[in-house]
Structure formats: C-alpha cells, structure tokens
Amino acid sequence: MAKKGNQADTKLLMIENLQVEVEGREILHHVDLEINQGETHVLFGPNGSGKTTLLMATMGFPDYQITGGRILFKGEDITSIPLNERANLGFGLSFQRPPTIKGVNMRQILEICGKGDKDVESMARSLDFDEFLDRDLNDGFSGGEIKRSELLQLMAQNPDFLLLDEPESGVDLENIALIGKVIEKLLERETVSQKGISRKELKREREKAGLIITHTGYILDYVDADIGHVIIAGEKCCEGNPREILKTIKEQGYDECVRCCGLNTGALSKDKEIRSN
Amino acid sequence: MQTQKEEKEALAKEASDKVSTYGTDIDLEAFSAETDPHPYQEDLSAFSQTEQSQMLKAGVELTAKNRSGTFIQKDLSVVHASTSQDGIEVMDIEEALEKYDWFHQYWWKAVPVDMDKYTARAELHQEHGYFIRSLPGTSSIYPVQACLYMEEDNLAQDVHNVIIAERGSELHIITGCATAPHVKSGLHLGVSEFYIKKGAKITFTMIHNWVEGVAVRPRSATIVEEGGLFISNYVCMQPVGTLQTYPVAYLVGEGATARFNSILVATSGSVMDVGARVYLKSKGTRSEIISRAITTGGKIIARGHIIGEVPGIKAHLECKGLILTDEGMIHAVPELEGHRKDVDLSHEAAVGKIAQEEIEYLMARGLSQEEATATIVRGFLNVDIEGLPPELKAEMDRAVEVSEKSLL
C-alpha cells in the first residue's frame, strides 16, 4: 500500500491494513500508517478508541493479537517477531502504567536498556533522577517520577523509533517542560541551533522517529510533531496537520471528527461502551 | 541429688520417642551412629579439592581470608578450630565444657532438651559441635566461619552449638552445612543456642548445601537481652530430602531486636518446612521475619509466628512465594498473636507465579523471555539485609547466584 515506492528507503515504519484482537474481540479494523525516518506522528482519539492497542500491537505485546495485515520496519516484515526482538531492532516504548519490579533497581534496568555501555549516572543526573538509581523499579514512584523513569530508560536504550503512550499524563506543570525537552532530545528535535547547520539541514539529518499518543494534546506545546492521525472506534479516520486537528478537537470535540470522516454517529458511543468494559 | 547432666539425660530419655509437631517423622534407627574418626588438620589448605569446593558453596572459605576464626567438623570429628582475633573464641564445645565452670548456664537453657525426639537424641548421642564467643566489648572484624560437613553415607550427625555475645560485643558468623557429593542419605541434627547479652549483636548467616536424600532437623533458640540485636539469615537453595526447622527468639530485654530472613528454593523432591518464631517479652522490642520461597517442583511450608506479650512492641512478618512449575507447592503460614492492646503486629503474604506484565516490561527493554524471568527471580531473592557486613552479603549473593544457574 506504499504510496510512493521510490521513497521506500526513507520509510521507517509501515503498517498495512492492520487488524488487532484483544481477548478475542477485534479492536483495530484495517489501519494503515506510514512513518518516515525523522518524522514524529501524533495519535489522537477518545478513550477506548484503540490508540493504545495500535501502540502495543506495533511493539509486539502478545495479548494484542494481529489477525490481519502486516507491519514493516526498516523494510523488514516484523509482524510475527517477538517483543524483545523488536526492541533490539530499535523500538522503544514508554509505558503509561509500568509494573513495579521488586528487587530490580533503576540502575539495573538502565544497564539492561543501555546494554551495559552507557554512563547511567550522568544520564540520571540530567533528568534529576540520580537519587532514584538504587530504588526498586517504579516502587512508590509518583506519576511524574514514572515518566522520568520511562524516559531515562529510553535515553539508555536510544531507540530509532519511539512509541510514547500519553507522556504528559499525571505530570505536573513544573515537570511537563522537562519531559517535553527530553522527548525532543530523544527524537532529535531540539531547537537549540548548532553552529553552521541550518534547521533545514538538521531536519534532513534527523533519523529518529516517533509515534505519540495524546488524549489532551498538551504535549504538542512542548514537542513539535509532523503529522497527526485520529482513531475512532478502531478506525483511522483522519490524517493531517497535528495542530489543526488538535484545534478542531478542542473546539468541536470528537463529534466533529465523526461527522467530518462520515462515520456512523454511533462510533463514539461504541468507544464509550468499550471504555466502560 | 541429681546433677544437671543426669537431669537432662533423664528428660531426654523420656522424650526419645516424642514425635515433633512439625515435619515428617524420621526413623532415627535407620542411620548409623558411628564412623571412623577423621584426623585434625591444622592447615586448612590440606582439605581436598572436593571438600573445599563443597564448603565454598556453603560460604566457608578455606583460605580463611577475611575470617576471624574457623571451625570445621567432619562427620563426628572436629577437624579444625582456630581463631585469629583476640577476644573471639572458637572451639570444640567439649573443650568449652571442660574449660568453663559456668558453662552449664548455657547448656539446654534456650532450647528444651525434651522438645522432641531430635533434641533428645542430640543429648543422648551428641558428638561435638562448636562454641563461639565474643568477649565483652569485642567486635569480630571479619566473620567467624563454621562448617559441619557430612562425608560418610547414611550417618547421623548430632551436634550441639553454643554461641555467646558478651555485653557490648559484636559477632558475625557464617555457617555452612555441606555434604560430600557421593552422600546419598544422612541425618543432620543440630542444636544451637544463642545468648546475646546487653547491647551485644550477633549476625548469623547459615547457608545449607545438602543433597537429595538428607534429612535435616536443626533446633535453635536465641535469648536476647536489653538492647541486643539478633539477625539470622538462612539460605537453602540446593536439593534436600526433608528439612524442618523453626528457630525461636526470646526478646527478654528492653529494646531487643530480632530479624529473620530466609531464602528457600525447593527443587523437585525437596520438602522444606522452615519458619521463625519470635516472643516479644519486653517493652520496645522489635522483630521482623521475612521469607522468600521459590519452588521448581518441591514443597515449601513457610511459617512465621510472632507473639507480642507486652505493650509497646512492634513486629512484622513478610512471606512471599513464587511457584515456577505446576508440580511445586508453597504453603505460607503467617501467625500473629497479640496479648496486650498496645501491640503493633502486621503481616504480608503473597504466593503466585511471576507476573506476565513484568516479563513483558523487561522484554520491551530488549531482554529475552528467559533473561527477563531470571532478572525477576534474582530480584525476588534479593533481600536487603540491614546490619549485615559486606563480606556476608557477598557470600549470600554468591550462594544465590550459584543456585540460580541451576534454577533457570
């Protein structure tokens, strides 16, 4: 389904006609998505619309069963390869609600993420998180601490493709700027200009790409994104300028997306039904 | 008039058929009570390679590097006893019995001689054991190590140990029990009595390295006086036939503290019934009992019993079990007993499998399923022990690490 076959070399991720089931129930129906190298995409959608399902299925979690379509990464079909192999190919995911793992501390997980050859101390300091290095993973962490922990792990992992599930949720205003800054850095989108390199050149050289789920859209105040998508009731119904999409949602709600995309008006109530389950 | 010796003997004789409350009953007649003596060895490097490696797995370092003293008993013979620090005594218990006229004050004073047939047998058939003591105000710079080694097949080893930390002293002990690899069966009965005087401290780390088919029935008790501290760490991750032990601590002095940590791994065929019981008998006493149990096919009963007898005490019991195969069984039995309104007793118990969510989380960071499982299991067994010297923490970590390899 690639629209421009001649640009295949810059295609990082291609999701084609993807169908995903969770506990025997189809959540995603025929979703297509393409992300080029250096691009950051944003996924909008009401609660229960299938955003997290798309992220989890892309990452390869076994509970998210792909029943149709395929996923290509760097030109390779990865539809059926396991989670950890995707991580090793360059996928990095920030969990919204990560589990606590007792007896495994922050330092250990960073060594795991960095394959043992990263300076985890200074990375932790850069996120003002060095005091947490000897704490058990996510044990008693606040919402903001969980985000910092997740991003720190991604820093150590240094993935080519980032999957971020609501990175702004549960973060207070003071910390959201810091989180935004780290995400920009991970995506090679820092606005600090480097000597002798124009922004255009920077953009061309950028390799990292990302897919960010946002429910509120706040993260767009801190992280620049290239393309936005709207998912409603398991279908991708819109693709375009992320700020324009956000503006429409803020002003008119997802009802406007339903109308604009010509979806069945029951689509949103279906989401609500999913959510309440 | 009856002497103390005669009195204890009489009690033991009466109890010689008394079945224990816990653990399967063992036929004591099935084991031999005699074997050839082993020669005393001044030089620790004279032990065979096999002995050295078996003992090392139980934390006993025969180079004696970083140790304040060493005691080794092989079968029924004391083959080595030495100390390298003034104020720390390490000797054959028989020697202490002769040397000190006050010794009877510590003989069967913490553990009742007629508790069950095993204590009775230890009295009637006792062959040696160790005496370790720190003199008032002394601190053992390095841990003292003791090893009870079983070389002869189908032998009953009955030892009686007494450990005393005099006022204001500090004693760190690592005990390893091990068997020669060719041993198929055997019985180990060990009576251990600990006396911790005012302001003194004992850390006692015991690593067991048995083989399938060995029956183990340690009986131990500790009396802690005012401001004293007892830390007991028990590690048993190797196969064993049947193991049952339920050490007790009596916190008799104000502000005394006892902490028990146990790490158990039961492979298929092993039965482990391990607990700890603490009586809080004085104001401001504290206790904590923590156990981590993993089964890969064996049966584990993890007990804990805290008895708060006076107001103003605080104790916590934590018992966690991981079941890695469907053949295994873990039975957690946490008991809290409060006798006054102002006691603070709590417990936490959880038994189950490794959460899939945790495995997937680590897989998302690039670990394979096996690596993720190993990391979680290692974390589960990683009990943080306050007050344990780094050398002993390292020994415990090493014991855990050695066993992990065969576990996963």
Side-chain angles (χ1 to χ4, degrees), chain B residues 146-164:
Chain B
C147 180
L148 299 166
Y149 192 77
M150 292 174 74
E151 165 82 24
E152 191 64 34
D153 198 26
N154 203 41
L155 182 74
Q157 189 183 50
D158 313 285
V159 299
H160 191 147
N161 312 309
V162 171
I163 301 97
I164 304 170

Side-chain angles (χ1 to χ4, degrees), chain A residues 59 61-62 83-84 87-88 93 95 97-104 109 112-113 137-138 150 153 157, chain B residues 292 320 348 356-369 371 375-376 378-380 382 384:
Chain A
M59 187 69 208
F61 285 90
L83 183 56
N84 57 310
N88 291 327
L93 177 103
F95 287 69
R97 276 181 282 275
T100 296
I101 305 183
K102 287 284 184 86
V104 176
I109 191 79
I112 288 169
C113 290
L137 194 55
N138 303 321
E150 288 297 305
Q153 291 177 54
Q157 224 179 325
Chain B
R292 296 277 185 275
K320 291 192 176 166
E348 189 186 342
Q356 189 60 26
E357 195 195 7
E358 295 178 25
I359 294 176
E360 287 173 6
Y361 186 74
L362 295 178
M363 286 177 76
R365 301 302 185 228
L367 294 187
S368 69
Q369 182 155 354
E371 289 164 339
T375 304
I376 294 164
R378 207 171 299 137
F380 177 82
N382 181 11
D384 238 344

Side-chain angles (χ1 to χ4, degrees), chain B residues 8 11-22 108 110-123 190-193 217-221 244-248 250 277:
Chain B
K8 298 291 179 197
L11 285 169
K13 274 179 186 151
E14 259 177 61
S16 57
D17 292 320
K18 189 174 167 187
V19 174
S20 171
T21 318
Y22 307 102
W108 293 118
V111 177
V113 64
D114 57 353
M115 187 169 132
D116 55 31
K117 61 197 273 190
Y118 310 113
T119 54
R121 174 164 174 124
E123 168 60 21
V191 173
S192 301
E193 300 186 275
R217 292 291 184 268
R219 294 292 178 258
S220 80
Q244 187 273 314
T245 182
Y246 207 163
V248 190
Y250 302 94
R277 179 178 276 149

Side-chain angles (χ1 to χ4, degrees), chain A residues 15 18 31 44 47 58 60 78 91 101 106 175 191 199 218 231:
Chain A
I15 292 175
L18 199 71
V31 171
F44 297 101
N47 274 336
T58 306
I78 58 150
F91 281 67
I101 305 183
M106 203 60 224
N175 279 310
T191 39
R199 290 193 65 171
Y218 292 146
I231 289 193

Side-chain angles (χ1 to χ4, degrees), chain A residues 17-268:
Chain A
N17 200 20
L18 199 71
Q19 287 165 271
V20 179
E21 270 185 16
V22 179
E23 287 170 354
R25 175 172 173 175
E26 189 170 291
I27 305 291
L28 287 187
H29 326 289
H30 312 284
V31 171
D32 294 315
L33 192 74
E34 282 183 19
I35 299 180
N36 290 320
Q37 229 172 43
E39 285 178 358
T40 293
H41 291 221
V42 181
L43 215 49
F44 297 101
N47 274 336
S49 59
K51 302 186 302 286
T52 296
T53 299
L54 179 58
L55 220 64
M56 300 303 260
T58 306
M59 187 69 208
F61 285 90
D63 285 349
Y64 297 81
Q65 214 195 335
I66 296 171
T67 51
R70 58 178 195 156
I71 304 172
L72 301 178
F73 187 65
K74 295 177 184 169
E76 194 187 329
D77 187 341
I78 58 150
T79 316
S80 54
I81 75 166
L83 183 56
N84 57 310
E85 285 178 34
R86 293 188 205 195
N88 291 327
L89 280 176
F91 281 67
L93 177 103
S94 140
F95 287 69
Q96 207 192 344
R97 276 181 282 275
T100 296
I101 305 183
K102 287 284 184 86
V104 176
N105 64 30
M106 203 60 224
R107 190 188 307 276
Q108 274 171 276
I109 191 79
L110 292 175
E111 295 292 344
I112 288 169
C113 290
K115 309 272 181 215
D117 63 354
K118 299 278 164 58
D119 181 0
V120 300
E121 298 274 345
S122 65
M123 273 181 187
R125 268 197 302 278
S126 75
L127 264 174
D128 197 16
F129 213 61
D130 42 330
E131 278 175 23
F132 287 75
L133 284 174
D134 294 318
R135 289 262 300 267
D136 283 352
L137 194 55
N138 303 321
D139 190 19
F141 287 13
S142 71
E145 286 159 0
I146 281 177
K147 293 295 177 234
R148 278 192 280 163
S149 155
E150 288 297 305
L151 292 178
L152 191 52
Q153 291 177 54
L154 291 179
M155 271 170 86
Q157 224 179 325
N158 191 26
D160 296 334
F161 179 57
L162 284 103
L163 297 138
L164 308 174
D165 195 353
E166 304 214 11
E168 77 273 39
S169 76
V171 182
D172 53 47
L173 278 172
E174 234 173 288
N175 279 310
I176 195 161
L178 173 69
I179 296 223
K181 220 168 159 178
V182 176
I183 293 174
E184 285 212 309
K185 194 173 172 192
L186 285 167
L187 289 166
E188 299 176 323
R189 304 183 81 93
E190 290 164 296
T191 39
V192 218
S193 58
Q194 282 171 272
K195 230 181 177 176
I197 306 173
S198 70
R199 290 193 65 171
K200 219 172 192 173
E201 282 171 315
L202 262 181
K203 195 175 170 184
R204 209 166 34 234
E205 280 175 22
R206 187 189 297 144
E207 287 180 350
K208 309 277 181 185
L211 181 58
I212 305 176
I213 289 184
T214 179
H215 183 59
T216 61
Y218 292 146
I219 197 67
L220 288 179
D221 294 341
Y222 302 91
V223 179
D224 193 26
D226 303 296
I227 295 168
H229 307 265
V230 180
I231 289 193
I232 291 178
E235 313 236 15
K236 204 185 91 179
C237 63
C238 177
E239 181 171 334
N241 181 317
R243 289 183 183 278
E244 278 172 22
I245 294 175
L246 181 63
K247 192 164 179 270
T248 308
I249 297 168
K250 272 185 177 167
E251 286 168 2
Q252 293 165 278
Y254 284 109
D255 290 329
E256 174 56 19
C257 300
V258 171
R259 195 202 57 78
C260 162
C261 302
L263 290 173
N264 181 330
T265 46
L268 278 179

